[in-house]
Amino acid sequence: MSEALKVGVAGLGTVGLSVVQLLAKHAGQIERKSGRAVTVTAVSARDRGKDRGFDVSTLEWFSDPVEMAEKANIDIFVELIGGDSGPAEDAVRAALKRGVHVVTANKALLARHGVDLALLAENNNACLNYEAAVAGGIPIVKTLRESMSGNDISRVYGILNGTCNYILTRMEAEGIGFEECLAEAQRLGYAEADPTFDIEGNDTAHKLAILTSLAFGTKIADDDIYVEGITSISTADIQAADELGFRIKLLGIAQRTETGIEQRVHPTMVPKTSAIARIDGVLNAVAVDGDYVGEIVLVGPGAGGNATASSVVADIADIARGDETPVLGMPAGDLKDYQRARMRMHEGGYYIRLSVYDRPGAFAEIARCMGDAGISLESIVQKRHAADEAPAKYDADVPQPVMLITYETTEVAIKQALEAIMSKGVVAEEPQLIRIEKLN
Ligand code: HSE
């Protein structure tokens, strides 16, 4: 039996502690399954004296993670610090340079420096594993990197942020306001240190950038993603979606088109009958369309200490087993340049909510602008305000909500139509626009 694999864990927050606990609790089975014992021998965190529920006195202790990466007597450096630069990046680079394998949950770091780090790992015969960086406990990296290598992939999409899904689910189910739901997600430990990363869609974009590279064999292009978060979604939109047969989800979508690859993150109307519509709360789901397998959907917890630790430990076990799968599924030098499909060429259906002055001819004006842009309307609904909000008598200057659903059209046509509608003086506010996605 070979010597135990020595692991150094940098970052002892919720995930770090779960990793240490899991490795101890399931040590026997990990050894049996990977053929090698795995033991934590070094840790790095800010405060050595803090009570973490386990004894650190027998471990090598480093207050500086970079020093641990450079000097600790370890085979694997586990990076759970976070951030796309600073100590996390410096420590990962230092570990790889000395041929120490790296396991990380850091999507921001991978999205920004993934190709470069993959080259560094290859040049130093080290592994760089990052299952926990995308969709927490769901093994989507392994699925794309290994299990689907025989398929030509046309689309990968999913709910990649537990915080946003939790907020949208509770807003819909309980009619609770956005801020209250966000505070609860933070309390439960789902949200990023800076929750704007969650709600503005950046966290989803980081994960999508990694999935796109794995799915299409392209260099990671995290700057080439269209990103819209969920902050503009109101209970009115959620209610309208429900009445129209949809639910609203924040999706990350990467799709091959005739002009290149579309990478987009935005609130999306998904048919209630689709698999993705049924994913509630902090759960994530990732769907992949392969030419031979068809569509597969993986569902599971996308955030939280134990779910994330499950993926981190699986990565460690792969290294213990001697698995040397290339970081991005193929040698980094073989990755193709990413060719971006322009968002203005995106094709799909759209939901539009307008706040329309209740004047004669307003509807006709809106319909004409749509027609002039070549857009065909599938439905148009005017909703009167609820009884307690409605004016005492008819007042043409009090705007009323009007919801439109279009047939398939292009982003450029929609933008042209909305600009024309805004110029007619019939609407009171910026329109709300939510894309509709065709899903199974
Ligand atoms: N803040 C992230 C989420 C955690 O809510 O999904 C996992 O990346």
Side-chain angles (χ1 to χ4, degrees):
M1 184 63 89
S2 38
E3 202 190 320
L5 195 76
K6 296 185 282 300
V7 174
V9 179
L12 289 178
T14 318
V15 178
L17 287 178
S18 284
V19 167
V20 173
Q21 281 161 7
L22 200 171
L23 284 173
K25 187 173 176 193
H26 292 173
Q29 94 173 39
I30 292 165
E31 181 174 0
R32 281 193 299 282
K33 289 188 175 177
S34 64
R36 199 165 169 192
V38 175
T39 175
V40 176
T41 58
V43 286
S44 166
R46 276 197 211 110
D47 179 3
R48 185 170 191 172
K50 188 171 165 184
D51 181 11
R52 296 182 171 87
F54 74 99
D55 182 15
V56 294
S57 66
T58 56
L59 307 175
E60 275 192 277
W61 176 274
F62 296 87
S63 49
D64 176 5
V66 183
E67 195 187 344
M68 181 166 97
E70 285 168 342
K71 297 188 182 150
N73 179 21
I74 51 175
D75 304 298
I76 303 182
F77 179 86
V78 177
E79 186 272 305
L80 301 171
I81 304 161
D84 66 1
S85 57
E89 183 191 1
D90 296 345
V92 166
R93 286 187 188 279
L96 292 175
K97 269 186 203 150
R98 58 188 279 241
V100 168
H101 306 299
V102 170
V103 171
T104 178
N106 189 335
K107 55 256 163 175
L109 180 71
L110 265 294
R112 174 98 325 176
H113 302 291
V115 176
D116 196 27
L117 293 174
L119 281 168
L120 188 60
E122 281 170 24
N123 292 339
N124 291 285
N125 295 318
C127 296
L128 171 57
N129 286 351
Y130 50 92
E131 186 63 78
V134 185
I138 300 178
I140 184 62
V141 172
K142 198 180 221 4
T143 300
L144 284 171
R145 207 159 73 154
E146 299 170 43
S147 317
M148 290 191 68
S149 54
N151 280 265
D152 197 10
I153 292 169
S154 52
R155 177 170 70 167
V156 55
Y157 66 93
I159 295 171
L160 302 173
N161 184 272
T163 299
C164 288
N165 206 48
Y166 176 85
I167 291 172
L168 292 172
T169 304
R170 288 204 66 189
M171 281 176 76
E172 181 185 357
E174 298 165 53
I176 299 177
F178 183 90
E179 294 299 335
E180 195 183 328
C181 295
L182 173 59
E184 189 63 6
Q186 285 178 285
R187 195 186 64 75
L188 292 167
Y190 305 146
E192 297 300 301
D194 177 355
T196 55
F197 270 69
D198 296 293
I199 60 179
E200 299 292 358
N202 310 85
D203 178 75
T204 301
H206 290 147
K207 295 165 182 169
L208 183 68
I210 299 167
L211 291 182
T212 305
S213 171
L214 289 168
F216 300 109
T218 50
K219 290 181 187 152
I220 297 174
D222 65 314
D223 286 334
D224 277 335
I225 303 180
Y226 175 83
V227 184
E228 243 180 60
I230 62 165
T231 49
S232 74
I233 301 297
S234 67
T235 42
D237 296 319
I238 290 177
Q239 212 180 329
D242 181 46
E243 286 164 16
L244 292 160
F246 295 98
R247 294 187 78 191
I248 300 175
K249 297 289 181 190
L250 182 74
L251 294 191
I253 303 165
Q255 179 174 17
R256 199 193 290 284
T257 74
E258 279 168 16
T259 57
I261 296 170
E262 266 184 14
Q263 286 189 108
R264 45 196 170 87
V265 172
H266 51 71
T268 311
M269 292 269 208
V270 299
K272 275 186 189 170
T273 50
S274 62
I276 222 89
R278 293 191 282 271
I279 308 304
D280 284 336
V282 71
L283 284 181
N284 280 194
V286 193
V288 188
D289 297 337
D291 60 346
Y292 270 67
V293 71
E295 179 167 277
I296 61 156
V297 184
L298 277 70
V299 179
N306 287 351
T308 310
S310 161
S311 288
V312 169
V313 170
D315 278 347
I316 293 172
D318 276 352
I319 294 170
R321 198 178 293 116
D323 184 352
E324 290 177 2
T325 308
V327 178
L328 292 164
M330 63 179 74
D334 291 347
L335 294 166
K336 288 176 285 184
D337 286 331
Y338 170 83
Q339 192 187 344
R340 179 182 189 167
R342 296 285 142 201
M343 194 58 196
R344 57 200 302 275
M345 301 314 290
H346 168 70
E347 291 177 14
Y350 290 79
Y351 156 92
I352 296 157
R353 177 168 52 80
L354 300 168
S355 188
V356 180
Y357 291 116
D358 212 358
R359 294 176 194 146
F363 253 40
E365 196 77 80
I366 290 165
R368 195 171 316 115
C369 292
M370 288 287 175
D372 288 349
I375 298 168
S376 180
L377 294 174
E378 188 182 303
S379 74
I380 177 162
V381 181
Q382 175 167 346
K383 306 255 305 179
R384 292 211 55 84
H385 279 296
D388 57 343
E389 298 169 3
K393 56 184 175 48
Y394 170 77
D395 184 343
D397 288 328
V398 175
Q400 300 284 344
V402 171
M403 282 78 165
L404 314 174
I405 296 278
T406 76
Y407 283 108
E408 193 139 314
T409 180
T410 60
E411 186 93 3
V412 69
I414 285 286
K415 292 288 162 70
Q416 180 193 325
L418 292 182
E419 211 171 288
I421 290 168
M422 292 302 284
S423 73
K424 303 291 180 196
V426 292
V427 297
E429 311 166 355
E430 279 293 309
Q432 169 69 298
L433 178 154
I434 303 178
R435 295 166 191 85
I436 298 171
E437 200 70 19
K438 273 194 198 151
L439 301 174
N440 296 324

